[in-house]
Amino acid sequence: MRDTRRLRLPRLSIRSLPGLLAALLLPLGLLTPAAAAASPPDATAAADPVRIMPLGDSITGSPGCWRALLWNRLQDAGHTGIDFVGTLPPQGCGIAHDGDNEGHGGELVTNVASQGLLPARLAATRPDIVVMHFGTNDVWSNVAPDRILAAYDTLLAQMRESNPDIRVLVAQLIPMNPATCAACAQRVVALNARIPAWAAGAHTSRSPVVVVDQWTGFDTATDTYDGVHPDASGDEKIAARWFPALAAQLESTPGDPGNPGDPGDPTLTCTASFRSVSVWQGGYQAEVTVRNTSAAPVRGWTVTLRPADGARVTQVWNGALKPAADGTATVADAGWNGALAPGASTAFGLIATTTAGPAAPAATVDCAATPAS
């Protein structure tokens, strides 16, 4: 039964009205400017996620399971404030992950550059970091490394126009050995040998360009299903190579909730570029240039060098050589040439023996920097 008794309201004095009005207006957000200014800011507002664009062709796009593995590895490491972006949706990998990407099957990086395809994709996704494995179809089509690297220049300029602070991780391509392209394997080696020098020239402290070696240790016989595209083993290797480089960028990117350290700590990077000096029957002389591409000094460096065509490094000067049974050579600084200021470079020379024919010497090189004490 409804209670029809009348309610008695307390009598209010004029002086009590302002307090009552304030109490009534508070839930409606209608406080005066002075009262609103006194309210503390919302400390729980989440920072914007770091937007990461995986960029490339079918190796990146379909099904792109290395992206799923990389996403989950980053999540497990605490980098939860990230967003993979791209105009393409997930493309078939049956692993839960953020599948947005920019991996267009069959695309040549030279065509993307010449046809101006990237700016609209950048405008739609606004990436902070680009993870780029691009050029496999160009190599297959026998496009010269000079043209591929010129396309890299075009894409990088477009990225920086979209975001002057963009960070770019560029891969030395995984090997390829398709049944219909006998020359492709060596063409990949030739392009990869040029990428570190390109990256060193393109790098700036505001918009870093970091080389990630996806070639070394990748075997087309066991890590691809067709000599080109990664299988499950290949996906694991690709994700494992991207992870430390991308995590390092996230740890130096303000606003990433997964950053366990000081966001002001610089990321230390260096690049190494290989140059043939002279060739003779059964061997050659080469030079490797090491450059500090980070914004802080380094006190030492180590270069991992894998010569092409079965060559073996037998002698090094201005560095300390540690060869491995599989032909990989590790060269550390000689002490006196280890400390490099930002942008500074040094070089070491080497002698290698080879049973290859007259093809120009080539090698895949990678560099790791040691922080200055």
Side-chain angles (χ1 to χ4, degrees), residues 133-230:
H133 184 287
F134 216 169
T136 298
N137 291 306
D138 302 80
V139 170
W140 201 328
S141 302
N142 200 20
V143 177
D146 284 344
R147 286 185 57 201
I148 297 173
L149 295 177
Y152 282 12
D153 283 332
T154 299
L155 266 56
L156 180 60
Q158 293 167 346
M159 293 174 196
R160 286 172 171 166
E161 184 175 356
S162 169
N163 176 3
D165 299 307
I166 202 161
R167 301 169 181 228
V168 181
L169 305 184
V170 57
Q172 290 174 294
L173 304 184
I174 63 172
M176 59 185 296
N177 190 25
T180 56
C181 183
C184 280
Q186 185 56 39
R187 291 177 196 163
V188 172
V189 172
L191 173 62
N192 282 345
R194 300 276 302 277
I195 288 176
W198 171 83
H203 178 93
T204 68
S205 58
R206 180 174 183 179
S207 174
V209 178
V210 178
V211 177
V212 177
D213 179 9
Q214 291 287 359
W215 192 91
T216 301
F218 196 99
D219 187 344
T220 56
T222 59
D223 299 326
T224 72
Y225 59 83
D226 60 358
V228 179
H229 298 90

Side-chain angles (χ1 to χ4, degrees), residues 296-307:
V298 301
R299 66 176 175 86
W301 46 263
T302 302
V303 170
T304 302
L305 185 147
R306 189 181 182 94

Side-chain angles (χ1 to χ4, degrees), residues 269-293:
T269 58
C270 60
T271 60
S273 56
F274 177 93
R275 180 178 71 89
S276 173
V277 175
S278 60
V279 183
W280 56 87
Q281 186 65 36
Y284 60 81
Q285 177 183 338
E287 180 181 78
V288 174
T289 299
V290 178
R291 183 179 302 276
N292 177 10
T293 53

Side-chain angles (χ1 to χ4, degrees), residues 2-20:
R2 189 174 59 181
D3 187 352
T4 59
R5 290 176 295 176
R6 297 177 61 185
L7 297 176
R8 285 186 183 275
L9 296 177
R11 184 169 304 204
L12 299 174
S13 69
I14 296 296
R15 279 181 291 185
S16 67
L17 285 176
L20 175 61

